[in-house]
Amino acid sequence: MKVIIVGGVAGGATAAARIRRLDEQAEIVVFERSGYISYANCGLPYYIGGVITDRSDLTLQTPESFFARFRVHMKVHHEVTAIHPERKAVSVRNLETGEEFEESYDKLLLSPGAKPTQPRLPGVGLSRLFTLRTVEDTFRIKSYIDQAHPRSAVLAGGGFISLELAENLRELGLDVTIVQRPKQLMKPFDPDMASFIHAELRRHGVRLALGHTVEGFEERDGGVDVLLKDESPLHADMVVLAIGVTPDTALAASAGLELGVRGSIAVNDRMETSVPDIYAVGDAVQVKHFVTGQETLLSLAGPANKQGRIAADNICGGNSRYPGSQGSSILKVFGMTAAVTGVNETTAKAAGLDADAVILSPMSHAGYYPGGKVMTLKVVFEKGTYRLLGAQIVGYEGVDKRIDVLATAIHAGLKATELMDLDLAYAPPYSSAKDPVNMAGFMIDNIAHGILRQWRLEDAATLPRDGSVTLLDTRTVEEFAQGHIDGFVNIPVDELREHLEELDPGKPVYVICQSGLRSYIACRILDGHGFTCYNFSGGFRFYDAVMHEHHLVETATACGMDQ
């Protein structure tokens, strides 16, 4: 059997190694148009920032090392220019010599990946305008910084690569501005959770120009003007386009393969395309979202590696299936960690799911053990069924292990209420006896049994201030004096029982405290005395952080510059 693989990196290189492990006799040839067959794509911003100092550390395998171990022919600087399914062959161009030739195959695997989205805007192609996707892109940016010593950069786009690059450029001393058309960064997060990411970036001097549309680029005064719709230009010494990626599927399209979302390659759960004996994996393929079941695109290294293994199994006569992508991701933002899995509340509702969420602010480990830090955790579930839909966490310690537990729970089909039953490791330096994941489960179980009723951030502006409801803040007098929501009266929870006669049991009570715990206790007291009580999800800490960031974004949008 002869297998041709188009593209290396995650999916293609993984498939090549797996095929060899399953079939020692197969002839395997990989054509890669760049000079690198397997590299740490996610490490590229950290090489630019000097965290990774040796460029060879970015290269996981070379053609020589791959051949030595797997006897796979890795042909770098070779571009496949056409597929001929009718005669099971591909046309190839040697980019170093210009030679063109055909190569036959029994099985063909496409792993072309995705390319940086290049908007059709004036000025695209300027020398100080960069993209970051490949090792070559990385070296180009690094070389420019080392030689030109730029003092400022504008990053167009607010996804993973942009934020990682923003951090690394700031660490090099550059003034950094991120410009983004939506009014939030990091689309996988709900706007309320993205607020914490915004705040961390601002704390480290990154300017945010949110809600602004880029209309072009012009060279001026040795730098680049980023032209904005209805606003003054942003000027910088360099600009990086990081507005997303587009599936690189021109080859598949010209060969007549069925395409899917945004021009991606349509595949089944065996990673088979619409043409027999042609498989496809990685950032170029359409997949089903594990939670919603909808067709989607998710450009992540983990799924690409898994898909490469599955395609290899099936090429070698197996019957492996890809269950879908869940979108589990994690990001370092200076000192903060932000992580997500499944779908956020916004996406869930857009998909027609009757979604709800709990928000909590637990410590990363036992409060009595020194060094614990607060994290904010949002768990999204389906009303009625309590199906676990997704989770988002921002914090400083312990975020990674909690998101992995929640990702596993979603994959295993656990209900959100069953999170309270998970037997998770506990010692004071690492967790609490009631782990944050367990706590989320307790809260959702209370909702399921009618013990907890919630009100949410989006309800705050519409709560009646006409006396028809009671608005109650159960924090201390000192906390209340430092900031509170207009219209709320302050009765500390430990004094509540002594003030019950001041409250009307015929009116619903909306309660808030700093984190949500004291207000929950207040609700249990009030419920026990015949009141109907609603607890604020997230607490005043959450409310204040989100509303402060919302104010900054709205002010910056109105003024045309980050505040």
Side-chain angles (χ1 to χ4, degrees):
M1 178 176 66
K2 182 176 181 181
V3 182
I4 299 295
I5 299 176
V6 180
V9 196
T14 295
R18 176 69 171 172
I19 292 168
R20 174 57 72 229
R21 290 194 294 270
L22 296 177
D23 186 344
E24 181 64 19
Q25 307 307 318
E27 182 183 355
I28 309 167
V29 182
V30 178
F31 292 115
E32 168 60 49
R33 63 186 166 201
S34 77
Y36 301 87
I37 55 134
S38 182
Y39 58 86
N41 186 283
C42 299
L44 301 182
Y46 299 99
Y47 176 74
I48 292 171
V51 178
I52 299 171
T53 56
D54 188 343
R55 67 165 59 190
S56 66
D57 289 339
L58 296 173
T59 306
L60 305 179
Q61 290 276 5
T62 66
E64 295 76 19
S65 67
F66 213 95
F67 182 82
R69 177 160 297 181
F70 297 109
R71 294 300 189 269
V72 170
H73 299 281
M74 290 285 186
K75 303 289 188 181
V76 296
H77 296 134
H78 281 69
E79 181 178 15
V80 174
T81 58
I83 303 170
H84 311 288
E86 70 284 354
R87 59 178 183 272
K88 301 186 79 168
V90 295
S91 296
V92 185
R93 179 185 297 117
N94 184 326
L95 298 178
E96 294 179 350
T97 66
E99 175 195 6
E100 297 188 8
F101 58 93
E102 277 198 7
E103 191 87 20
S104 64
Y105 65 83
D106 296 308
K107 304 287 184 180
L108 175 64
L109 174 63
L110 302 179
S111 180
K115 54 190 177 183
T117 302
Q118 292 273 17
R120 295 181 179 178
L121 297 175
V124 170
L126 295 176
S127 61
R128 294 178 181 85
L129 197 64
F130 302 90
T131 58
L132 179 57
R133 181 68 178 176
T134 66
V135 174
E136 288 89 346
D137 293 336
T138 306
F139 294 160
R140 194 175 301 117
I141 294 173
K142 179 69 169 173
S143 176
Y144 175 78
I145 292 173
D146 290 344
Q147 295 174 17
H149 305 291
R151 292 178 296 176
S152 59
V154 168
L155 311 182
F160 286 94
I161 290 293
S162 181
L163 268 62
E164 289 169 346
L165 188 56
E167 175 183 342
N168 280 278
L169 292 178
R170 278 298 295 150
E171 297 292 356
L172 292 175
L174 276 73
D175 291 328
V176 177
T177 301
I178 299 176
V179 59
Q180 165 94 328
R181 181 185 298 172
K183 292 185 178 180
Q184 74 161 86
L185 304 174
M186 297 300 296
K187 186 179 178 181
F189 291 80
D190 284 313
D192 51 10
M193 297 297 285
S195 295
F196 293 89
I197 300 173
H198 297 175
E200 183 73 4
L201 288 164
R202 294 181 199 274
R203 273 195 293 271
H204 288 84
V206 177
R207 296 183 179 90
L208 305 181
L210 305 177
H212 297 288
T213 301
V214 176
E215 292 196 322
F217 309 92
E218 289 181 356
E219 287 187 324
R220 183 175 67 85
D221 297 337
V224 180
D225 272 351
V226 180
L227 308 179
L228 303 179
K229 183 178 181 180
D230 301 326
E231 298 290 348
S232 300
L234 296 172
H235 185 77
D237 295 328
M238 63 180 293
V239 175
V240 181
L241 285 177
I243 59 177
V245 294
T246 302
D248 192 355
T249 56
L251 191 64
S254 63
L257 276 64
E258 181 183 343
L259 301 182
V261 177
R262 287 174 49 200
S264 58
I265 303 172
V267 294
N268 60 19
D269 60 359
R270 286 170 47 87
M271 310 314 299
E272 295 169 320
T273 71
S274 59
V275 175
D277 296 322
I278 301 181
Y279 298 74
V281 300
D283 294 353
V285 305
Q286 169 183 284
V287 296
K288 284 190 181 298
H289 197 286
F290 185 82
V291 175
T292 66
Q294 295 179 340
E295 305 293 351
T296 188
L297 285 172
L298 285 171
S299 299
L300 296 167
N305 276 279
K306 295 180 183 73
Q307 292 162 13
R309 178 186 174 93
I310 289 166
D313 287 352
N314 296 325
I315 284 170
C316 294
N319 189 29
S320 293
R321 306 276 174 166
Y322 185 64
S325 293
Q326 201 169 300
S328 300
S329 310
I330 193 163
L331 173 71
K332 178 181 179 295
V333 187
F334 294 97
M336 175 180 280
T337 300
V340 62
T341 188
V343 292
N344 62 30
E345 189 175 11
T346 306
T347 302
K349 289 180 177 178
L353 297 170
D354 190 12
D356 199 358
V358 293
I359 299 164
L360 57 158
S361 301
M363 296 289 285
S364 58
H365 62 241
Y368 61 83
Y369 187 89
K373 295 184 178 179
V374 174
M375 66 176 69
T376 303
L377 194 157
K378 182 174 185 178
V379 177
V380 183
F381 59 93
E382 188 173 38
K383 295 179 183 177
T385 67
Y386 294 94
R387 180 164 70 106
L388 191 56
L389 302 177
Q392 302 153 66
I393 312 177
V394 292
Y396 297 90
E397 290 180 0
V399 171
D400 52 346
K401 69 177 181 177
R402 272 65 184 227
I403 204 69
D404 283 344
V405 169
L406 289 159
T408 303
I410 292 173
H411 187 84
L414 295 187
K415 290 185 177 181
T417 51
E418 292 178 298
L419 295 176
M420 68 180 185
D421 298 323
L422 294 177
D423 193 351
L424 303 175
Y426 159 61
Y430 303 105
S431 184
S432 300
K434 296 176 182 177
D435 187 86
V437 174
N438 295 138
M439 288 300 300
F442 292 141
M443 292 172 66
I444 297 168
D445 183 70
N446 281 339
I447 291 173
H449 287 91
I451 297 171
L452 171 63
R453 305 178 192 91
Q454 294 193 120
W455 65 284
R456 302 282 302 279
L457 182 70
E458 55 268 27
D459 302 319
T462 59
L463 285 178
R465 264 71 172 183
D466 59 1
S468 60
V469 301
T470 299
L471 306 178
L472 180 62
D473 190 317
T474 60
R475 294 176 297 158
T476 65
V477 173
E478 293 77 16
E479 287 174 308
F480 186 81
Q482 291 174 5
H484 57 268
I485 304 176
D486 290 343
F488 277 69
V489 297
N490 180 219
I491 304 176
V493 64
D494 292 338
E495 302 172 18
L496 181 59
R497 290 182 179 89
E498 286 69 46
H499 293 270
L500 290 175
E501 71 281 357
E502 301 171 15
L503 306 177
D504 184 348
K507 298 178 181 179
V509 186
Y510 291 82
V511 190
I512 192 170
C513 72
Q514 191 67 10
S515 69
L517 176 59
R518 284 173 287 173
S519 51
Y520 168 66
I521 294 170
C523 274
R524 298 313 306 143
I525 293 171
L526 291 166
D527 277 8
H529 288 272
F531 290 80
T532 300
C533 188
Y534 298 85
N535 187 29
F536 182 74
S537 184
F540 185 79
R541 169 189 171 272
F542 178 80
Y543 171 88
D544 191 46
V546 175
M547 295 306 294
H548 177 71
E549 180 60 31
H550 177 75
H551 173 73
L552 286 178
V553 172
E554 292 301 318
T555 303
T557 302
C559 297
M561 181 51 62
D562 185 58
Q563 300 298 304

